[in-house]
Amino acid sequence: SAVISQKPSRDICQRGTSLTIQCQVDSQVTMMFWYRQQPGQSLTLIATANQGSEATYESGFVIDKFPISRPNLTFSTLTVSNMSPEDSSIYLCSVGSGWTPEAFFGQGTRLTVV
Amino acid sequence: AQRVTQPEKLLSVFKGAPVELKCNYSYSGSPELFWYVQYSRQRLQLLLRHISRESIKGFTADLNKGETSFHLKKPFAQEEDSAMYYCALRSYGQNFVFGPGTRLSVLP
């Protein structure tokens, strides 16, 4: 299993600003995923971040809005840029690898944009 | 395209009653199916996966490829089972696709 620490756990931000969310894993993992969970909705994949390569974004998500860093096998960041109230959501970091089929999740970052 | 559906947003049962949370999927290959659970104020966590064919906390789920279903069942619901349940599928080495979730409420 993997233990994931995600920071901050929650934040209230002004529109137009940016927030960087950090995800730290206690072991080296190949694949890291960033999800968004809007109120009352399921998880939607934002992007997949593999170490040493550019993040792969899903349809509807772009790098300018959600830049991702993956400097090593245990850490990643997601930035929510130029925020608007529509970005209010829970953002989740998840890890998996080709060897373990299941995904492990951070506790999430609850973002409120005012 | 990969897709997971969970027809019930909310399911309420009485303690001791059987419970079945429905999940259907669409995928052309051989997916791996999972059930994840999120208890109040806790992180999303794996409940069970079809390849293990195991029973966790009394829950079981059988993959029915003919009906493309992976329903989650428990013969006697407990109050502590109240949570949000997500069905998910994954093809090897790829990302997960989650269903919309079903909130299970077990009434005393």
Side-chain angles (χ1 to χ4, degrees):
Chain A
S1 66
V3 177
I4 302 167
S5 299
Q6 198 173 326
K7 298 194 293 188
S9 59
R10 60 177 62 226
D11 207 343
I12 301 174
C13 301
Q14 296 289 325
R15 67 175 68 201
T17 63
S18 297
L19 175 72
T20 295
I21 302 167
Q22 299 180 4
C23 179
Q24 179 75 52
V25 190
D26 68 341
S27 58
Q28 294 184 340
V29 293
T30 308
M31 303 169 76
M32 296 183 79
F33 306 93
W34 287 99
Y35 289 87
R36 182 173 71 183
Q37 187 177 24
Q38 294 179 302
Q41 304 294 318
S42 185
L43 286 76
T44 301
L45 182 65
I46 297 172
T48 302
N50 292 334
Q51 195 267 337
S53 63
E54 296 273 337
T56 303
Y57 288 83
E58 297 299 305
S59 176
F61 298 96
V62 294
I63 188 171
D64 290 346
K65 176 68 176 177
F66 298 101
I68 287 170
S69 77
R70 181 81 201 274
N72 56 54
L73 290 172
T74 63
F75 187 77
S76 178
T77 67
L78 169 77
T79 299
V80 187
S81 303
N82 188 25
M83 289 183 285
S84 67
E86 291 71 35
D87 294 320
S88 297
S89 187
I90 297 174
Y91 292 86
L92 292 154
C93 170
S94 170
V95 303
S97 76
W99 295 271
T100 57
E102 65 262 37
F104 301 94
F105 288 86
Q107 77 274 28
T109 296
R110 184 180 293 274
L111 170 63
T112 303
V113 184
V114 297
Chain B
Q2 302 173 31
R3 191 176 177 208
V4 178
T5 58
Q6 293 176 252
E8 303 127 335
K9 290 190 72 172
L10 173 65
L11 183 63
S12 295
V13 301
F14 286 102
K15 176 182 174 182
V19 61
E20 181 180 49
L21 290 85
K22 291 184 168 55
C23 171
N24 288 89
Y25 67 91
S26 61
Y27 183 66
S28 57
S30 296
E32 297 175 87
L33 275 297
F34 305 82
W35 276 98
Y36 284 84
V37 60
Q38 189 168 29
Y39 300 103
S40 179
R41 294 194 174 87
Q42 294 188 28
R43 69 184 66 198
L44 197 62
Q45 58 186 284
L46 177 69
L47 180 62
L48 55 80
R49 55 187 192 229
H50 88 272
I51 57 174
S52 300
R53 302 185 65 83
E54 57 198 342
S55 173
I56 304 294
K57 299 184 179 183
F59 285 98
T60 59
D62 290 319
L63 178 61
N64 186 322
K65 291 187 178 180
E67 296 182 358
T68 60
S69 68
F70 189 55
H71 303 327
L72 183 67
K73 301 176 184 179
K74 185 170 183 176
F76 308 103
Q78 304 298 314
E79 290 182 69
E80 55 265 29
D81 295 328
S82 295
M84 196 73 184
Y85 291 81
Y86 294 96
C87 182
L89 73 80
R90 179 182 186 230
S91 57
Y92 184 80
Q94 302 300 317
N95 56 275
F96 284 78
V97 175
F98 286 84
T102 297
R103 181 170 297 282
L104 175 64
S105 177
V106 181
L107 308 172

